[in-house]
Amino acid sequence: MRNIIPFMTRVPIRGDFEKARNEVWAFPLLAIITSSLPTLILYLDLPMKNILAILSLYSIIGLLHLDGLADWADGIMVKGDRERKIEAMKDLNTGIAGIFAVVMVLFIQIYSLNHLPFYAIFLAELNSKYAMLLALATKKPLGSGLGWYFMEKMNKRQLAVGTLLYSILIFPIGFYNPKAIFSVVGLLVGAYVMKVSIDNFGGLNGDCIGAIAEITRAGTLLLMAFVFMLLE
């Protein structure tokens, strides 16, 4: 797991990039690291805790996935054939669709946390990281970039270990608060983004996987907020 941490987070430790793709099974464990500070901020009920929690989250994971989300949205929204969409996604300039997607994801996360317990950010991050693992398991690379690089080493063993870790991490909270188990439904959001990506681009690249991570987290928080408000 040590090699995947510096690649997926801004934690200042050394890692071997070549070995990192053999450790994607540890994606669910990364949620513990990436959500630790945001969870603490929410637990302590600090002033402006929602904004501080999201800011601390991105200070740990960086903005790579948000950048991928922006590029992905530009590609999805452009009119034209598959080649035109891929070209728009790879364009270095961010369009209005990308800006809108980033703003909405940030807004949804900050707003949803108003109606959720402090551990919700951990569940959302857990879903986000597991959705990335599932995306790599599709084995549908687009091009020969980072998506292909990690998919090349993805196998049933890594998926099985990652799934086991996901289950071990999520179900204790479900026993503590049965409503929290509804967070699993958030994975359907990630599955939908995967389908949309494959339908529009013919496969998944780093931008698509970044979009899957961001939209899954935001979607999980929104769905959980709806369930908690409905059942309170």
Side-chain angles (χ1 to χ4, degrees):
M1 179 181 174
R2 184 181 184 279
N3 296 292
I4 202 69
I5 293 175
F7 177 74
M8 292 296 296
T9 74
R10 299 181 69 249
V11 177
I13 63 173
R14 291 182 177 274
D16 188 319
F17 185 66
E18 177 63 30
K19 294 179 180 178
R21 59 181 181 163
N22 294 315
E23 299 178 357
V24 294
W25 56 267
F27 274 14
L29 292 177
L30 286 175
I32 300 174
I33 298 172
T34 57
S35 67
S36 57
L37 183 55
T39 300
L40 178 62
I41 290 172
L42 294 169
Y43 176 76
L44 294 176
D45 199 21
L46 298 177
M48 297 179 21
K49 61 181 180 180
N50 295 2
I51 295 176
L52 290 176
I54 295 302
L55 286 176
S56 67
L57 173 67
Y58 286 107
S59 73
I60 297 172
I61 65 176
L63 302 178
L64 182 63
H65 297 330
L66 271 182
D67 182 64
L69 169 65
D71 292 339
W72 176 87
D74 283 339
I76 290 295
M77 294 303 294
V78 74
K79 294 182 179 180
D81 57 16
R82 182 170 290 174
E83 288 70 26
R84 177 73 183 91
K85 289 178 176 291
I86 294 174
E87 181 183 351
M89 180 169 59
K90 292 183 177 180
D91 193 329
L92 295 178
N93 297 313
T94 301
I96 187 63
I99 295 172
F100 178 80
V102 169
V103 170
M104 286 304 299
V105 161
L106 293 174
F107 173 79
I108 288 171
Q109 292 179 99
I110 292 171
Y111 173 79
S112 298
L113 288 174
N114 281 319
H115 307 282
L116 293 169
F118 69 93
Y119 51 81
I121 191 71
F122 164 71
L123 295 173
E125 258 296 272
L126 183 60
N127 270 5
S128 175
K129 296 299 184 282
Y130 185 59
M132 294 175 68
L133 182 66
L134 295 178
L136 294 176
T138 64
K139 306 287 277 189
K140 292 184 178 294
L142 175 62
S144 56
L146 284 176
W148 167 83
Y149 183 79
F150 279 91
M151 284 184 193
E152 188 182 34
K153 290 293 185 178
M154 185 65 191
N155 53 44
K156 292 181 179 179
R157 174 186 164 278
Q158 293 217 65
L159 178 61
V161 175
T163 300
L164 178 62
L165 290 173
Y166 175 82
S167 302
I168 291 173
L169 291 171
I170 198 170
F171 282 109
I173 298 179
F175 283 112
Y176 172 72
N177 186 344
K179 289 188 291 186
I181 206 64
F182 280 98
S183 64
V184 176
V185 180
L187 291 175
L188 296 178
V189 177
Y192 178 72
V193 179
M194 289 180 218
K195 181 181 184 303
V196 170
S197 300
I198 294 171
D199 289 346
N200 281 269
F201 306 122
L204 304 175
N205 64 2
D207 289 334
C208 297
I209 295 173
I212 290 166
E214 291 295 327
I215 298 175
T216 298
R217 187 191 314 107
T220 298
L221 289 174
L222 186 62
L223 288 170
M224 287 182 66
F226 177 79
V227 169
F228 273 68
M229 293 169 66
L230 187 68
L231 299 179
E232 68 180 7

